[in-house]
Amino acid sequence: MSDHSFVRTEMLDSQAPPMMEGSVLGWIRYNLFSGPLNSLLTILSGLLVVYLLASILPWVFLSSWTATSLRECREVIPLTYGEGTTGACWAVIRERYLQLFYGFYPKELYWRVNLTFVLMLIALAPILFPKLPRQMLYFSGVYPFLGYWLLWGGTIWTPFLTLAGLIVGYLVFNFLNERRGLLIGTIVGTLLIIFWFLLGVIPVAVFLSENVTPLAIEIVESEQFGGFTLSVIIGATGIAASLPIGILLALGRKSDLLIVKSLCVGFIEFIRGVPLITLLFVASTLLNYFLPPGTNFDIILRVVIMVTLFASAYMAEVIRGGLAALPKGQYEAGDALGLDYWKSMRLIVLPQALKISIPGIVSTFIGLFKDTTLVSIIGLLDPIGLSRAIRSDTAWNGIVWELYAFVAAVFFVFCFAMSRYSIYLEKKLETGHR
Amino acid sequence: MKIRFLIAAIAAVFVTGSAYSATLDDVMARGNLECGVSTGLVGFASPDAEGEWEGFDVDYCRALAAAIFGDSNAVEFTPVSTKNRFTALAAGEFDILARNTTWTFSRDTDLKQTFLGINFYDGQGFMVRADLGVSSASELDGASVCIQTGTTTELNLADFFRVNGMSYEPVPIEDNAEAKEQFFAQACDAYTTDRSGLASTRAAAENPDDYVVLPEVVSKEPLGPLVRHGDDQWADIGRWVLNALIIAEEKGLTSANVREMASAPTNDPEINRLLGTEGTYADMVGLPNDWAVNLIEQVGNYGEIFERNIGVNTPIGLTRGVNDLWTNGGLIYAPPYR
């Protein structure tokens, strides 16, 4: 017998991959220099980047952090870095960063803004990450009232009674819904809440704080709000309120009920046909003509309402896109299962439609957050408005880029975080219909 | 029927609402004055690092607060833009507007405001680069001029060049900050706006001596505080606070010496009347007897306010010029306090 075998008995040693595969060099070759045109473009872009950095970086780093005025900056920088150097005057940021973050909020009460911000992250966490315990959602529900109380101060009874009114209204709705039907429940519940808000909350809160216990913290007026605090308040409230309103509007627009449908279409088309600036001017100026003189209708509240309405209209259209993209069979499946309208929407249609709309929703959010800077035009001191106010200080008169660069950097952090979260969510939900 | 009721109800709201109660009483009850100021104008209104407002217009509000409460800090500032200032005042969002506002016919009558006087005489001027070698606006024939669009300055510019038979090339600019950048980047030969604005722009330059403000003034811009129509007592108070600041300078009363002058009657009866050591003039307008002492001591007289915020020793470096007292050849003049 010969020991010829036709099958190799031992494994070959594994070999290194070809030099161009999986190595840095290979990546560069493949991505940057794959052909003459691409090589040329790569070199040109590289030169551009180097040129830009060479002109920006010295300005950023040959700077002064300690001067007390622009004049001093201009004297100090050439002295430190040699004749003819023009660097950034970051000293203005060092002197004013607290103002840019907190506006005119009293210094000794900054902790309240910080606490509100931290609590906001905690309240957002269970909404953003479904793995966290569901009980945390109760806190998210209470948070808007708690946050309002912490920021504006005053007696806790007002936000507490408002929240209590909402809960009681919901319980009444539930009770009547089971016994008398959806329509009666909705009408009675809504009326109850509206009457309570208009007539009940303030007198009862005043009565309780005067006769039982005030439970009050120091009041901070709306005029003292400013800077990024104001941007985040307007942005976050607008974002939180515009999503549910937008969903309702989108459903209304696809509804078969004529009145509901025409109301929603009218609202959406009207708001989308008008620039945000116009709405802000209505809030700051025109409303004053309609309301009786002397009415104290908080300017921040007015702006928040307008921004929310504006964002809701856009949100509605984004979500309608998601609803339209859903195959008709999904709606029919809901009906076939015998679910009523709200159940089929809640359990079958919306989860899928919202999933499709995530990129659009987040980009509306980011747009809304950046649009908050428009309030500087109606005299509110958001970061842009404040940078103008800071420029008008004789010490900093003439400073421009440093303030804008700082504001842009902070906005970038917020918007980039939102954008990354959207990518995370899309990956998790696998929105692409593959 | 229902509609008629609705209209009646709305009308009732407006009628009852527009009947103002006395502003002074409201202010006293609230415990502070609410004052509308600019969202930021160099030398006139700006917040410092502590969030305290300062500036020429701000000091007028502080003087008013000192007159009413004896405390120049009993005032809250509401920043308003050029666009919403009049409606906000009309809506009662603040008690008085001190926001370098030009007194014009239509603002006084059609917009139903009451101007309390003039605290700063401004006027449109020109600024050029020093190396152009121009010493008068009449030498600007053919020049390119940076101009804010949609303002009265744009119209004044056209008028000025037409009257003098010259041509120019407008470089339209959206706002003051942009104008600054464009002018310094030599996008235009000349920049035109109010002279106080020119001075602050020049002060912001890397090297102010590279630029000169030409002597010509081509428009009248009398600036002053204003209140809404309907409360004459409140307007009187605001007007006489401004006048008291001017009289104080005229009579040599300063923040340093006013307390001493008020300790006993002096030889000048007008000083005595103003400082409350003679007669009971303050009662006539509903202010405390030592109102003028408080405001001069805490804020200073007109001249002190001017020098502190926009005068020659500040970076803005405005000379008094027409804003000097009438006794020194200027236009600042107050009626007698008697």
Side-chain angles (χ1 to χ4, degrees), chain A residues 284-285 288, chain B residues 78 80 84-94 228:
Chain A
S284 84
T285 314
N288 286 334
Chain B
T78 306
V80 279
N84 67 359
R85 53 183 164 180
F86 297 122
T87 43
L89 175 65
E93 284 185 23
F94 37 79
R228 52 187 167 262

Side-chain angles (χ1 to χ4, degrees), chain B residues 98-297:
Chain B
R99 196 203 175 283
N100 70 317
T101 303
T102 306
W103 186 351
T104 68
F105 173 77
S106 59
R107 285 172 179 177
D108 202 341
T109 55
D110 191 35
L111 292 180
K112 298 189 169 49
Q113 321 286 5
T114 302
F115 282 83
L116 306 178
I118 297 165
N119 65 354
F120 190 84
Y121 289 89
D122 214 337
Q124 188 177 343
F126 295 93
M127 178 160 65
V128 295
R129 294 194 304 280
D131 58 16
L132 279 185
V134 173
S135 61
S136 157
S138 56
E139 299 167 29
L140 283 176
D141 197 7
S144 58
V145 183
C146 279
I147 175 80
Q148 267 175 273
T149 50
T151 58
T152 48
T153 51
E154 193 179 14
L155 307 174
N156 296 335
L157 175 73
D159 288 355
F160 176 77
F161 274 79
R162 210 180 77 187
V163 166
N164 288 286
M166 302 188 299
S167 68
Y168 68 101
E169 186 195 330
V171 180
I173 301 290
E174 185 52 38
D175 65 10
N176 211 6
E178 191 194 343
K180 241 179 240 187
E181 294 296 308
Q182 294 283 0
F183 178 62
F184 290 151
Q186 309 205 348
C188 46
D189 301 322
Y191 171 38
T192 179
T193 187
D194 287 353
R195 284 168 66 88
S196 62
L198 289 180
S200 73
T201 304
R202 185 167 173 269
E206 191 113 28
N207 190 357
D209 294 334
D210 289 351
Y211 306 95
V212 286
V213 177
L214 300 177
E216 281 82 1
V217 181
V218 299
S219 76
K220 292 185 290 184
E221 310 283 348
L223 311 180
L226 56 151
V227 297
R228 52 187 167 262
H229 272 184
D231 188 347
D232 291 343
Q233 186 205 8
W234 180 241
D236 286 344
I237 292 172
R239 180 176 301 119
W240 281 96
V241 163
L242 178 58
N243 288 337
L245 292 170
I246 295 169
I247 297 170
E249 186 184 8
E250 197 182 318
K251 296 288 177 187
L253 300 171
T254 65
S255 50
N257 70 9
V258 69
R259 186 59 66 182
E260 188 193 326
M261 301 284 259
S263 58
T266 62
N267 291 330
D268 186 333
E270 185 158 19
I271 291 180
N272 297 346
R273 287 193 293 270
L274 182 66
L275 299 185
T277 50
E278 196 178 301
T280 52
Y281 285 82
D283 290 348
M284 297 176 191
V285 75
L287 287 174
N289 204 35
D290 58 349
W291 66 278
V293 184
N294 288 331
L295 79 88
I296 297 166
E297 185 181 45

